[in-house]
């Protein structure tokens, strides 16, 4: 045996490592395309233009990335005449309608707090005036009606 390493060992040391560790990053899920009502209607009409069981129907579903259940939902909405419901909706819960009474209560509470602050300020001014009058030895005019 010779002291020289064999060719495959030389190759092992000169080759870059091909083993890669799998990424621990989570890939974001692809977003579903938001389709307009006209586009949904076009898909339903194209799907319905082919006879039942035709391979073209499956091709449409694959091309658009949808399921037959979506076609069924869109078809129901179309027959109801609810084209507005075919339009894409924002995800999440529907916002609750605003109650005008709650808005009025909020406004009245703010006004009440503002008036309470003014009253407290006015009472402080009156107390200071009374103390100044007492220091000067003058009588303050009576605020009672009988006077």
């Amino acid at each position: 045996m010779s002291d020289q390493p064999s060719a495959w060992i030389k190759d092992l040391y000169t080759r870059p490592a091909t083993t890669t560790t799998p990424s621990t990053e989570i890939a974001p899920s692809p977003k579903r395309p938001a389709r307009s009502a006209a586009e949904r209607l076009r898909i339903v009409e194209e799907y319905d233009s082919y006879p039942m069981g035709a391979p073209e129907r499956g091709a449409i579903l694959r091309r658009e990335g949808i399921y037959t259940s979506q076609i069924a939902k869109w078809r129901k909405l179309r027959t109801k005449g609810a084209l507005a419901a075919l339009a894409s909706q924002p995800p999440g819960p529907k916002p609750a309608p605003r109650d005008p009474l709650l808005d009025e209560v909020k406004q009245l509470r703010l006004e009440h707090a503002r008036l309470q602050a003014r009253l407290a300020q006015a009472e402080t001014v009156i107390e200071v005036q009374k103390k100044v009058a007492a220091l000067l030895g003058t009588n303050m005019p009576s605020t009672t009606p009988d006077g």
Side-chain angles (χ1 to χ4, degrees):
M1 275 188 52
S2 72
D3 291 335
Q4 295 293 329
S6 63
W8 68 273
I9 293 177
K10 286 181 186 176
D11 188 42
L12 184 66
Y13 286 116
T14 58
R15 261 192 318 189
T18 58
T19 57
T20 58
T21 58
S23 174
T24 57
E25 293 294 319
I26 297 174
S29 60
K31 284 234 181 220
R32 277 191 332 203
R35 292 185 168 88
S36 66
E39 191 175 358
R40 291 178 185 191
L41 189 59
R42 177 194 57 80
I43 292 170
V44 170
E45 287 174 354
E46 183 181 357
Y47 184 83
D48 288 341
S49 69
Y50 295 106
M52 188 79 77
E56 290 86 0
R57 283 185 157 195
I60 293 170
L61 295 175
R62 284 187 299 278
R63 180 186 73 215
E64 300 294 338
I66 58 176
Y67 296 98
T68 55
S69 60
Q70 288 173 305
I71 294 285
K73 282 183 202 173
W74 296 346
R75 190 182 292 130
K76 268 186 200 172
L77 291 171
R78 181 190 64 185
T79 56
K80 280 186 192 177
L83 287 178
L86 280 174
S88 60
Q89 304 286 325
K94 305 292 182 261
R98 293 192 58 95
D99 188 5
L101 293 178
L102 291 178
D103 292 340
E104 185 178 359
V105 166
K106 182 180 176 182
Q107 179 186 2
L108 289 174
R109 284 185 179 168
L110 287 172
E111 184 178 355
H112 178 72
R114 182 182 59 80
L115 291 174
Q116 287 290 342
R118 280 191 68 185
L119 176 63
Q121 183 181 16
E123 287 175 344
T124 304
V125 167
I126 291 172
E127 290 297 318
V128 168
Q129 286 176 346
K130 285 181 183 178
K131 289 179 182 179
V132 167
L135 287 174
L136 296 176
T138 59
N139 288 335
M140 291 286 294
S142 175
T143 57
T144 58
D146 59 331

